[in-house]
Amino acid sequence: MVLSLALAGCVVGPDYRKPTLTMPSHWGTKTSSQSAKAPELSRWWKQLKDPTLDALIEEAVVGNLDVASAKAKIREARASYREQKGALLPSVEGTASATRTRTAASDASSEATTYSQYQTGFDASWELDLFGGNKRAAEAAKYGVDAAEEELRDTMLTLVGDVASYYVQAREYQALRDLARRTAISQRKTAALTQAEFKAGSATGVDAAKAEALASSTEADIPTYEISYATAVHRLGLLLGKPPAALEERLKSGGPIPRPKTEVSTGIPADILSSRPDVRLAERQLAQYTAKIGQAEANRYPSISLTGDIASSATSIADLGKKSTIGWSFGPSLTVPIFQGGQLKAAVDVAKAQRDQYYVAYQAAVLSAMEDVENAVVSLTQERLKHGKLSASATSYRRATDLSRTLNQAGVTDFLDVLDAERSLYSAEEALIESQASIATDYVALNKALGGGWDGEVDSSEPAVVDTNTGPHLAAAK
């Protein structure tokens, strides 16, 4: 017994240590020896100064169905952890039975005999966990809780980024649609004026036909932008856990494309490890499957359980505590695995192979995180340069359009020059709007890559109401 209790503190299998990965000291072409300023990731979307976007993200955190599923996984993981911790403690069960027995008459007795039998007792058992199998199982379950919590954070990060991205798309297509409408109205007026001049003999039929074609071509862009806008709005509705068309009335009045601040500090690669939920999730899963090696290893060694029971039986309930028959037993039981056909050793090898897979997955998550940041930094930086050039281009085309109209009215240039200038101006303004939206999208992608997301606590308790017809009514975020 003393030896068993002493061995109960023994835990087989490897102890988990967080792996150290070699990280570069800077992003891309940054060569400064000074460390970069840590990025401001806490609710980064607030920096866009768009109240509508803020409200949509708040609602998505409460109503999104993927978030609800992730919360349920946390509850499952926590319950599994409590279950595994319970295996470390003794178990006690109470038993009770009542039987009514009738024996048939024999040759010596002419009457049958009927009697009752009542029995009550307790059974207790405790596995001493000599080699720490149950401890490793509880350890793995605890890491599983951590992993589930990181999965929720990762879901929240993805959700916030998706809501922001689709909101930017919705505002982009609204802006492009409005541009197409304004341009089409102007071109339609030009076409009408050209038709009048053609009838008066001061313009050619070619001029009138081309002016009409240009206006019709621009008008044809409007339905395309309407389709893209509706698709973005419908996706936003689903992200908020609402019907697809729920936000149409709310967003139809329009609004500007969000404009991120000029500079975004990206920090150093090590910041990713402390902020990206998918990296932390991979690391927690690695810890969980490292603990499972010890759980499998412990099954290869003997196990000792202490068992005991006490029972009382009598022919009436009243006699159970007075004239009853009391019996008890207590003692250890030893189980020694002698031959299992290599199954137990194979189970350890399986656990080690799983651990190795999650170590590779952890390395891949870190590299993927670094790639995401590098790509986002390059995209945002270059898109800002592109936007500056497109802005200058649109300004020049606007000036060229005004000048060509003036010269055409003076009879110096051909009318086709006016149409070409209007067409070029429309294309330049389209590209300028798309570039502004790309800057906002790249800004969203960079903050997602850096691990920015919802930094508040989210209630993972069970929903207040679960209706089989309407689905879960999700609890509000704290």
Side-chain angles (χ1 to χ4, degrees), residues 399-433:
R399 193 163 53 245
T401 300
D402 294 338
L403 183 59
S404 64
R405 287 172 179 167
T406 300
L407 293 176
N408 177 257
Q409 291 173 359
V412 177
T413 61
D414 190 90
F415 182 70
L416 294 180
D417 292 337
V418 176
L419 296 181
D420 182 65
E422 289 183 346
R423 185 186 301 106
S424 298
L425 175 60
Y426 175 53
S427 297
E429 290 181 331
E430 271 186 320
L432 186 62
I433 291 173

PDB file of all heavy atoms in Angstrom, residues 399-433:
ATOM      1  N   ARG A 399      -9.529  67.580 -66.120  1.00  0.00           N
ATOM      2  CA  ARG A 399      -9.102  68.826 -66.758  1.00  0.00           C
ATOM      3  C   ARG A 399      -9.122  68.672 -68.282  1.00  0.00           C
ATOM      4  O   ARG A 399      -9.542  69.590 -69.015  1.00  0.00           O
ATOM      5  CB  ARG A 399      -7.702  69.177 -66.265  1.00  0.00           C
ATOM      6  CG  ARG A 399      -7.270  70.582 -66.591  1.00  0.00           C
ATOM      7  CD  ARG A 399      -6.066  71.033 -65.757  1.00  0.00           C
ATOM      8  NE  ARG A 399      -4.960  70.084 -65.851  1.00  0.00           N
ATOM      9  CZ  ARG A 399      -4.511  69.384 -64.817  1.00  0.00           C
ATOM     10  NH1 ARG A 399      -5.079  69.503 -63.631  1.00  0.00           N
ATOM     11  NH2 ARG A 399      -3.487  68.565 -64.970  1.00  0.00           N
ATOM     12  N   ALA A 400      -8.709  67.497 -68.766  1.00  0.00           N
ATOM     13  CA  ALA A 400      -8.698  67.261 -70.215  1.00  0.00           C
ATOM     14  C   ALA A 400     -10.120  67.231 -70.771  1.00  0.00           C
ATOM     15  O   ALA A 400     -10.368  67.724 -71.892  1.00  0.00           O
ATOM     16  CB  ALA A 400      -7.986  65.948 -70.526  1.00  0.00           C
ATOM     17  N   THR A 401     -11.061  66.686 -70.020  1.00  0.00           N
ATOM     18  CA  THR A 401     -12.451  66.640 -70.480  1.00  0.00           C
ATOM     19  C   THR A 401     -13.030  68.045 -70.602  1.00  0.00           C
ATOM     20  O   THR A 401     -13.685  68.385 -71.610  1.00  0.00           O
ATOM     21  CB  THR A 401     -13.292  65.806 -69.507  1.00  0.00           C
ATOM     22  OG1 THR A 401     -12.772  64.483 -69.460  1.00  0.00           O
ATOM     23  CG2 THR A 401     -14.749  65.747 -69.966  1.00  0.00           C
ATOM     24  N   ASP A 402     -12.799  68.876 -69.604  1.00  0.00           N
ATOM     25  CA  ASP A 402     -13.298  70.256 -69.655  1.00  0.00           C
ATOM     26  C   ASP A 402     -12.678  71.018 -70.825  1.00  0.00           C
ATOM     27  O   ASP A 402     -13.373  71.759 -71.546  1.00  0.00           O
ATOM     28  CB  ASP A 402     -12.986  70.980 -68.337  1.00  0.00           C
ATOM     29  CG  ASP A 402     -13.746  70.393 -67.162  1.00  0.00           C
ATOM     30  OD1 ASP A 402     -14.787  69.735 -67.399  1.00  0.00           O
ATOM     31  OD2 ASP A 402     -13.308  70.576 -66.001  1.00  0.00           O
ATOM     32  N   LEU A 403     -11.375  70.815 -71.012  1.00  0.00           N
ATOM     33  CA  LEU A 403     -10.686  71.520 -72.093  1.00  0.00           C
ATOM     34  C   LEU A 403     -11.161  71.056 -73.465  1.00  0.00           C
ATOM     35  O   LEU A 403     -11.370  71.878 -74.386  1.00  0.00           O
ATOM     36  CB  LEU A 403      -9.176  71.301 -71.952  1.00  0.00           C
ATOM     37  CG  LEU A 403      -8.293  72.041 -72.968  1.00  0.00           C
ATOM     38  CD1 LEU A 403      -8.515  73.561 -72.887  1.00  0.00           C
ATOM     39  CD2 LEU A 403      -6.820  71.705 -72.731  1.00  0.00           C
ATOM     40  N   SER A 404     -11.374  69.745 -73.627  1.00  0.00           N
ATOM     41  CA  SER A 404     -11.817  69.228 -74.931  1.00  0.00           C
ATOM     42  C   SER A 404     -13.210  69.740 -75.281  1.00  0.00           C
ATOM     43  O   SER A 404     -13.498  70.019 -76.462  1.00  0.00           O
ATOM     44  CB  SER A 404     -11.791  67.694 -74.922  1.00  0.00           C
ATOM     45  OG  SER A 404     -12.716  67.194 -73.976  1.00  0.00           O
ATOM     46  N   ARG A 405     -14.072  69.879 -74.288  1.00  0.00           N
ATOM     47  CA  ARG A 405     -15.404  70.426 -74.553  1.00  0.00           C
ATOM     48  C   ARG A 405     -15.314  71.878 -74.987  1.00  0.00           C
ATOM     49  O   ARG A 405     -16.014  72.321 -75.926  1.00  0.00           O
ATOM     50  CB  ARG A 405     -16.268  70.309 -73.294  1.00  0.00           C
ATOM     51  CG  ARG A 405     -16.735  68.899 -72.977  1.00  0.00           C
ATOM     52  CD  ARG A 405     -17.419  68.834 -71.635  1.00  0.00           C
ATOM     53  NE  ARG A 405     -17.889  67.491 -71.311  1.00  0.00           N
ATOM     54  CZ  ARG A 405     -18.289  67.119 -70.107  1.00  0.00           C
ATOM     55  NH1 ARG A 405     -18.251  68.006 -69.100  1.00  0.00           N
ATOM     56  NH2 ARG A 405     -18.692  65.877 -69.897  1.00  0.00           N
ATOM     57  N   THR A 406     -14.450  72.633 -74.321  1.00  0.00           N
ATOM     58  CA  THR A 406     -14.290  74.049 -74.675  1.00  0.00           C
ATOM     59  C   THR A 406     -13.750  74.192 -76.089  1.00  0.00           C
ATOM     60  O   THR A 406     -14.253  75.011 -76.897  1.00  0.00           O
ATOM     61  CB  THR A 406     -13.342  74.729 -73.670  1.00  0.00           C
ATOM     62  OG1 THR A 406     -13.881  74.624 -72.350  1.00  0.00           O
ATOM     63  CG2 THR A 406     -13.168  76.209 -74.015  1.00  0.00           C
ATOM     64  N   LEU A 407     -12.737  73.396 -76.419  1.00  0.00           N
ATOM     65  CA  LEU A 407     -12.139  73.475 -77.751  1.00  0.00           C
ATOM     66  C   LEU A 407     -13.110  73.002 -78.822  1.00  0.00           C
ATOM     67  O   LEU A 407     -13.127  73.544 -79.943  1.00  0.00           O
ATOM     68  CB  LEU A 407     -10.862  72.632 -77.790  1.00  0.00           C
ATOM     69  CG  LEU A 407      -9.692  73.136 -76.918  1.00  0.00           C
ATOM     70  CD1 LEU A 407      -8.526  72.160 -76.976  1.00  0.00           C
ATOM     71  CD2 LEU A 407      -9.256  74.523 -77.384  1.00  0.00           C
ATOM     72  N   ASN A 408     -13.926  71.968 -78.492  1.00  0.00           N
ATOM     73  CA  ASN A 408     -14.901  71.492 -79.476  1.00  0.00           C
ATOM     74  C   ASN A 408     -15.964  72.548 -79.766  1.00  0.00           C
ATOM     75  O   ASN A 408     -16.379  72.726 -80.921  1.00  0.00           O
ATOM     76  CB  ASN A 408     -15.551  70.219 -78.963  1.00  0.00           C
ATOM     77  CG  ASN A 408     -16.619  69.702 -79.900  1.00  0.00           C
ATOM     78  OD1 ASN A 408     -17.815  69.859 -79.662  1.00  0.00           O
ATOM     79  ND2 ASN A 408     -16.194  69.093 -81.019  1.00  0.00           N
ATOM     80  N   GLN A 409     -16.391  73.242 -78.691  1.00  0.00           N
ATOM     81  CA  GLN A 409     -17.385  74.307 -78.894  1.00  0.00           C
ATOM     82  C   GLN A 409     -16.814  75.446 -79.730  1.00  0.00           C
ATOM     83  O   GLN A 409     -17.547  76.124 -80.463  1.00  0.00           O
ATOM     84  CB  GLN A 409     -17.858  74.832 -77.542  1.00  0.00           C
ATOM     85  CG  GLN A 409     -18.693  73.823 -76.761  1.00  0.00           C
ATOM     86  CD  GLN A 409     -19.011  74.289 -75.359  1.00  0.00           C
ATOM     87  OE1 GLN A 409     -18.589  75.373 -74.945  1.00  0.00           O
ATOM     88  NE2 GLN A 409     -19.744  73.461 -74.612  1.00  0.00           N
ATOM     89  N   ALA A 410     -15.488  75.623 -79.623  1.00  0.00           N
ATOM     90  CA  ALA A 410     -14.848  76.670 -80.419  1.00  0.00           C
ATOM     91  C   ALA A 410     -14.508  76.189 -81.822  1.00  0.00           C
ATOM     92  O   ALA A 410     -14.014  76.976 -82.644  1.00  0.00           O
ATOM     93  CB  ALA A 410     -13.574  77.140 -79.715  1.00  0.00           C
ATOM     94  N   GLY A 411     -14.768  74.910 -82.106  1.00  0.00           N
ATOM     95  CA  GLY A 411     -14.516  74.359 -83.434  1.00  0.00           C
ATOM     96  C   GLY A 411     -13.084  73.999 -83.693  1.00  0.00           C
ATOM     97  O   GLY A 411     -12.700  73.749 -84.840  1.00  0.00           O
ATOM     98  N   VAL A 412     -12.263  73.914 -82.625  1.00  0.00           N
ATOM     99  CA  VAL A 412     -10.845  73.627 -82.803  1.00  0.00           C
ATOM    100  C   VAL A 412     -10.587  72.122 -82.867  1.00  0.00           C
ATOM    101  O   VAL A 412      -9.719  71.663 -83.617  1.00  0.00           O
ATOM    102  CB  VAL A 412     -10.027  74.260 -81.655  1.00  0.00           C
ATOM    103  CG1 VAL A 412      -8.539  73.906 -81.796  1.00  0.00           C
ATOM    104  CG2 VAL A 412     -10.221  75.762 -81.627  1.00  0.00           C
ATOM    105  N   THR A 413     -11.316  71.325 -82.063  1.00  0.00           N
ATOM    106  CA  THR A 413     -11.095  69.867 -82.028  1.00  0.00           C
ATOM    107  C   THR A 413     -12.348  69.135 -82.474  1.00  0.00           C
ATOM    108  O   THR A 413     -13.459  69.690 -82.480  1.00  0.00           O
ATOM    109  CB  THR A 413     -10.728  69.395 -80.613  1.00  0.00           C
ATOM    110  OG1 THR A 413     -11.802  69.699 -79.721  1.00  0.00           O
ATOM    111  CG2 THR A 413      -9.449  70.077 -80.135  1.00  0.00           C
ATOM    112  N   ASP A 414     -12.154  67.849 -82.825  1.00  0.00           N
ATOM    113  CA  ASP A 414     -13.249  66.992 -83.252  1.00  0.00           C
ATOM    114  C   ASP A 414     -14.065  66.529 -82.037  1.00  0.00           C
ATOM    115  O   ASP A 414     -13.563  66.398 -80.925  1.00  0.00           O
ATOM    116  CB  ASP A 414     -12.666  65.782 -83.998  1.00  0.00           C
ATOM    117  CG  ASP A 414     -13.751  64.973 -84.687  1.00  0.00           C
ATOM    118  OD1 ASP A 414     -14.062  65.265 -85.848  1.00  0.00           O
ATOM    119  OD2 ASP A 414     -14.270  64.046 -84.027  1.00  0.00           O
ATOM    120  N   PHE A 415     -15.344  66.240 -82.257  1.00  0.00           N
ATOM    121  CA  PHE A 415     -16.214  65.797 -81.166  1.00  0.00           C
ATOM    122  C   PHE A 415     -15.785  64.438 -80.608  1.00  0.00           C
ATOM    123  O   PHE A 415     -16.017  64.127 -79.434  1.00  0.00           O
ATOM    124  CB  PHE A 415     -17.662  65.716 -81.670  1.00  0.00           C
ATOM    125  CG  PHE A 415     -18.640  65.315 -80.594  1.00  0.00           C
ATOM    126  CD1 PHE A 415     -18.957  66.183 -79.557  1.00  0.00           C
ATOM    127  CD2 PHE A 415     -19.223  64.061 -80.604  1.00  0.00           C
ATOM    128  CE1 PHE A 415     -19.844  65.805 -78.568  1.00  0.00           C
ATOM    129  CE2 PHE A 415     -20.118  63.679 -79.622  1.00  0.00           C
ATOM    130  CZ  PHE A 415     -20.431  64.562 -78.599  1.00  0.00           C
ATOM    131  N   LEU A 416     -15.149  63.648 -81.426  1.00  0.00           N
ATOM    132  CA  LEU A 416     -14.679  62.347 -80.942  1.00  0.00           C
ATOM    133  C   LEU A 416     -13.656  62.501 -79.816  1.00  0.00           C
ATOM    134  O   LEU A 416     -13.534  61.636 -78.956  1.00  0.00           O
ATOM    135  CB  LEU A 416     -14.073  61.551 -82.092  1.00  0.00           C
ATOM    136  CG  LEU A 416     -15.059  61.137 -83.203  1.00  0.00           C
ATOM    137  CD1 LEU A 416     -14.336  60.357 -84.293  1.00  0.00           C
ATOM    138  CD2 LEU A 416     -16.202  60.313 -82.628  1.00  0.00           C
ATOM    139  N   ASP A 417     -12.921  63.623 -79.840  1.00  0.00           N
ATOM    140  CA  ASP A 417     -11.976  63.883 -78.748  1.00  0.00           C
ATOM    141  C   ASP A 417     -12.719  64.084 -77.428  1.00  0.00           C
ATOM    142  O   ASP A 417     -12.238  63.689 -76.365  1.00  0.00           O
ATOM    143  CB  ASP A 417     -11.124  65.111 -79.065  1.00  0.00           C
ATOM    144  CG  ASP A 417     -10.179  64.876 -80.225  1.00  0.00           C
ATOM    145  OD1 ASP A 417      -9.862  63.683 -80.488  1.00  0.00           O
ATOM    146  OD2 ASP A 417      -9.761  65.853 -80.875  1.00  0.00           O
ATOM    147  N   VAL A 418     -13.876  64.709 -77.493  1.00  0.00           N
ATOM    148  CA  VAL A 418     -14.692  64.917 -76.291  1.00  0.00           C
ATOM    149  C   VAL A 418     -15.164  63.573 -75.738  1.00  0.00           C
ATOM    150  O   VAL A 418     -15.074  63.303 -74.529  1.00  0.00           O
ATOM    151  CB  VAL A 418     -15.891  65.815 -76.599  1.00  0.00           C
ATOM    152  CG1 VAL A 418     -16.792  65.948 -75.356  1.00  0.00           C
ATOM    153  CG2 VAL A 418     -15.429  67.173 -77.075  1.00  0.00           C
ATOM    154  N   LEU A 419     -15.667  62.715 -76.623  1.00  0.00           N
ATOM    155  CA  LEU A 419     -16.153  61.403 -76.186  1.00  0.00           C
ATOM    156  C   LEU A 419     -15.019  60.569 -75.604  1.00  0.00           C
ATOM    157  O   LEU A 419     -15.190  59.875 -74.587  1.00  0.00           O
ATOM    158  CB  LEU A 419     -16.788  60.657 -77.362  1.00  0.00           C
ATOM    159  CG  LEU A 419     -18.046  61.293 -77.963  1.00  0.00           C
ATOM    160  CD1 LEU A 419     -18.571  60.434 -79.106  1.00  0.00           C
ATOM    161  CD2 LEU A 419     -19.119  61.479 -76.899  1.00  0.00           C
ATOM    162  N   ASP A 420     -13.855  60.628 -76.234  1.00  0.00           N
ATOM    163  CA  ASP A 420     -12.721  59.868 -75.734  1.00  0.00           C
ATOM    164  C   ASP A 420     -12.287  60.384 -74.353  1.00  0.00           C
ATOM    165  O   ASP A 420     -11.955  59.588 -73.460  1.00  0.00           O
ATOM    166  CB  ASP A 420     -11.552  59.985 -76.719  1.00  0.00           C
ATOM    167  CG  ASP A 420     -10.351  59.164 -76.285  1.00  0.00           C
ATOM    168  OD1 ASP A 420     -10.470  57.922 -76.240  1.00  0.00           O
ATOM    169  OD2 ASP A 420      -9.316  59.766 -75.959  1.00  0.00           O
ATOM    170  N   ALA A 421     -12.318  61.695 -74.166  1.00  0.00           N
ATOM    171  CA  ALA A 421     -11.946  62.270 -72.869  1.00  0.00           C
ATOM    172  C   ALA A 421     -12.954  61.873 -71.790  1.00  0.00           C
ATOM    173  O   ALA A 421     -12.575  61.553 -70.654  1.00  0.00           O
ATOM    174  CB  ALA A 421     -11.860  63.790 -72.989  1.00  0.00           C
ATOM    175  N   GLU A 422     -14.257  61.871 -72.132  1.00  0.00           N
ATOM    176  CA  GLU A 422     -15.282  61.476 -71.159  1.00  0.00           C
ATOM    177  C   GLU A 422     -15.146  59.994 -70.779  1.00  0.00           C
ATOM    178  O   GLU A 422     -15.303  59.617 -69.610  1.00  0.00           O
ATOM    179  CB  GLU A 422     -16.666  61.753 -71.723  1.00  0.00           C
ATOM    180  CG  GLU A 422     -17.012  63.227 -71.811  1.00  0.00           C
ATOM    181  CD  GLU A 422     -18.428  63.456 -72.319  1.00  0.00           C
ATOM    182  OE1 GLU A 422     -19.025  62.488 -72.850  1.00  0.00           O
ATOM    183  OE2 GLU A 422     -18.936  64.586 -72.182  1.00  0.00           O
ATOM    184  N   ARG A 423     -14.856  59.174 -71.776  1.00  0.00           N
ATOM    185  CA  ARG A 423     -14.684  57.744 -71.525  1.00  0.00           C
ATOM    186  C   ARG A 423     -13.470  57.503 -70.620  1.00  0.00           C
ATOM    187  O   ARG A 423     -13.527  56.714 -69.663  1.00  0.00           O
ATOM    188  CB  ARG A 423     -14.506  56.994 -72.844  1.00  0.00           C
ATOM    189  CG  ARG A 423     -14.429  55.473 -72.682  1.00  0.00           C
ATOM    190  CD  ARG A 423     -14.097  54.788 -73.995  1.00  0.00           C
ATOM    191  NE  ARG A 423     -15.074  55.066 -75.037  1.00  0.00           N
ATOM    192  CZ  ARG A 423     -14.864  55.881 -76.070  1.00  0.00           C
ATOM    193  NH1 ARG A 423     -13.685  56.491 -76.214  1.00  0.00           N
ATOM    194  NH2 ARG A 423     -15.794  56.093 -76.968  1.00  0.00           N
ATOM    195  N   SER A 424     -12.389  58.198 -70.882  1.00  0.00           N
ATOM    196  CA  SER A 424     -11.177  58.051 -70.073  1.00  0.00           C
ATOM    197  C   SER A 424     -11.389  58.560 -68.649  1.00  0.00           C
ATOM    198  O   SER A 424     -10.898  57.965 -67.684  1.00  0.00           O
ATOM    199  CB  SER A 424     -10.011  58.808 -70.731  1.00  0.00           C
ATOM    200  OG  SER A 424      -9.725  58.281 -72.009  1.00  0.00           O
ATOM    201  N   LEU A 425     -12.123  59.668 -68.519  1.00  0.00           N
ATOM    202  CA  LEU A 425     -12.404  60.196 -67.185  1.00  0.00           C
ATOM    203  C   LEU A 425     -13.231  59.212 -66.369  1.00  0.00           C
ATOM    204  O   LEU A 425     -12.953  58.982 -65.177  1.00  0.00           O
ATOM    205  CB  LEU A 425     -13.142  61.527 -67.298  1.00  0.00           C
ATOM    206  CG  LEU A 425     -13.617  62.145 -65.972  1.00  0.00           C
ATOM    207  CD1 LEU A 425     -12.437  62.403 -65.045  1.00  0.00           C
ATOM    208  CD2 LEU A 425     -14.417  63.422 -66.228  1.00  0.00           C
ATOM    209  N   TYR A 426     -14.235  58.623 -66.989  1.00  0.00           N
ATOM    210  CA  TYR A 426     -15.084  57.649 -66.293  1.00  0.00           C
ATOM    211  C   TYR A 426     -14.249  56.456 -65.819  1.00  0.00           C
ATOM    212  O   TYR A 426     -14.351  56.012 -64.670  1.00  0.00           O
ATOM    213  CB  TYR A 426     -16.198  57.191 -67.227  1.00  0.00           C
ATOM    214  CG  TYR A 426     -17.082  56.102 -66.665  1.00  0.00           C
ATOM    215  CD1 TYR A 426     -17.697  56.239 -65.430  1.00  0.00           C
ATOM    216  CD2 TYR A 426     -17.289  54.911 -67.379  1.00  0.00           C
ATOM    217  CE1 TYR A 426     -18.516  55.245 -64.925  1.00  0.00           C
ATOM    218  CE2 TYR A 426     -18.105  53.909 -66.881  1.00  0.00           C
ATOM    219  CZ  TYR A 426     -18.706  54.075 -65.653  1.00  0.00           C
ATOM    220  OH  TYR A 426     -19.509  53.084 -65.136  1.00  0.00           O
ATOM    221  N   SER A 427     -13.359  55.943 -66.685  1.00  0.00           N
ATOM    222  CA  SER A 427     -12.506  54.808 -66.323  1.00  0.00           C
ATOM    223  C   SER A 427     -11.550  55.181 -65.194  1.00  0.00           C
ATOM    224  O   SER A 427     -11.305  54.381 -64.271  1.00  0.00           O
ATOM    225  CB  SER A 427     -11.703  54.333 -67.538  1.00  0.00           C
ATOM    226  OG  SER A 427     -12.567  53.864 -68.554  1.00  0.00           O
ATOM    227  N   ALA A 428     -11.015  56.404 -65.241  1.00  0.00           N
ATOM    228  CA  ALA A 428     -10.088  56.848 -64.203  1.00  0.00           C
ATOM    229  C   ALA A 428     -10.788  56.993 -62.858  1.00  0.00           C
ATOM    230  O   ALA A 428     -10.237  56.621 -61.809  1.00  0.00           O
ATOM    231  CB  ALA A 428      -9.443  58.171 -64.599  1.00  0.00           C
ATOM    232  N   GLU A 429     -12.008  57.506 -62.852  1.00  0.00           N
ATOM    233  CA  GLU A 429     -12.744  57.659 -61.594  1.00  0.00           C
ATOM    234  C   GLU A 429     -13.177  56.298 -61.047  1.00  0.00           C
ATOM    235  O   GLU A 429     -13.209  56.090 -59.832  1.00  0.00           O
ATOM    236  CB  GLU A 429     -13.951  58.575 -61.815  1.00  0.00           C
ATOM    237  CG  GLU A 429     -13.544  60.030 -62.047  1.00  0.00           C
ATOM    238  CD  GLU A 429     -14.743  60.937 -62.248  1.00  0.00           C
ATOM    239  OE1 GLU A 429     -15.789  60.430 -62.750  1.00  0.00           O
ATOM    240  OE2 GLU A 429     -14.654  62.130 -61.932  1.00  0.00           O
ATOM    241  N   GLU A 430     -13.515  55.365 -61.940  1.00  0.00           N
ATOM    242  CA  GLU A 430     -13.799  53.987 -61.515  1.00  0.00           C
ATOM    243  C   GLU A 430     -12.584  53.379 -60.811  1.00  0.00           C
ATOM    244  O   GLU A 430     -12.696  52.808 -59.716  1.00  0.00           O
ATOM    245  CB  GLU A 430     -14.155  53.119 -62.721  1.00  0.00           C
ATOM    246  CG  GLU A 430     -15.608  53.087 -63.093  1.00  0.00           C
ATOM    247  CD  GLU A 430     -15.875  52.083 -64.193  1.00  0.00           C
ATOM    248  OE1 GLU A 430     -15.055  51.980 -65.128  1.00  0.00           O
ATOM    249  OE2 GLU A 430     -16.895  51.375 -64.123  1.00  0.00           O
ATOM    250  N   ALA A 431     -11.424  53.508 -61.450  1.00  0.00           N
ATOM    251  CA  ALA A 431     -10.204  52.936 -60.883  1.00  0.00           C
ATOM    252  C   ALA A 431      -9.854  53.590 -59.552  1.00  0.00           C
ATOM    253  O   ALA A 431      -9.353  52.926 -58.630  1.00  0.00           O
ATOM    254  CB  ALA A 431      -9.043  53.096 -61.875  1.00  0.00           C
ATOM    255  N   LEU A 432     -10.145  54.874 -59.413  1.00  0.00           N
ATOM    256  CA  LEU A 432      -9.856  55.583 -58.164  1.00  0.00           C
ATOM    257  C   LEU A 432     -10.725  55.051 -57.017  1.00  0.00           C
ATOM    258  O   LEU A 432     -10.236  54.834 -55.905  1.00  0.00           O
ATOM    259  CB  LEU A 432     -10.076  57.080 -58.353  1.00  0.00           C
ATOM    260  CG  LEU A 432      -9.674  57.979 -57.169  1.00  0.00           C
ATOM    261  CD1 LEU A 432      -8.178  57.851 -56.901  1.00  0.00           C
ATOM    262  CD2 LEU A 432     -10.052  59.434 -57.462  1.00  0.00           C
ATOM    263  N   ILE A 433     -12.008  54.821 -57.300  1.00  0.00           N
ATOM    264  CA  ILE A 433     -12.904  54.270 -56.281  1.00  0.00           C
ATOM    265  C   ILE A 433     -12.472  52.858 -55.900  1.00  0.00           C
ATOM    266  O   ILE A 433     -12.432  52.495 -54.718  1.00  0.00           O
ATOM    267  CB  ILE A 433     -14.350  54.266 -56.797  1.00  0.00           C
ATOM    268  CG1 ILE A 433     -14.874  55.699 -56.916  1.00  0.00           C
ATOM    269  CG2 ILE A 433     -15.260  53.452 -55.879  1.00  0.00           C
ATOM    270  CD1 ILE A 433     -16.249  55.809 -57.572  1.00  0.00           C
TER     271      ILE A 433
END
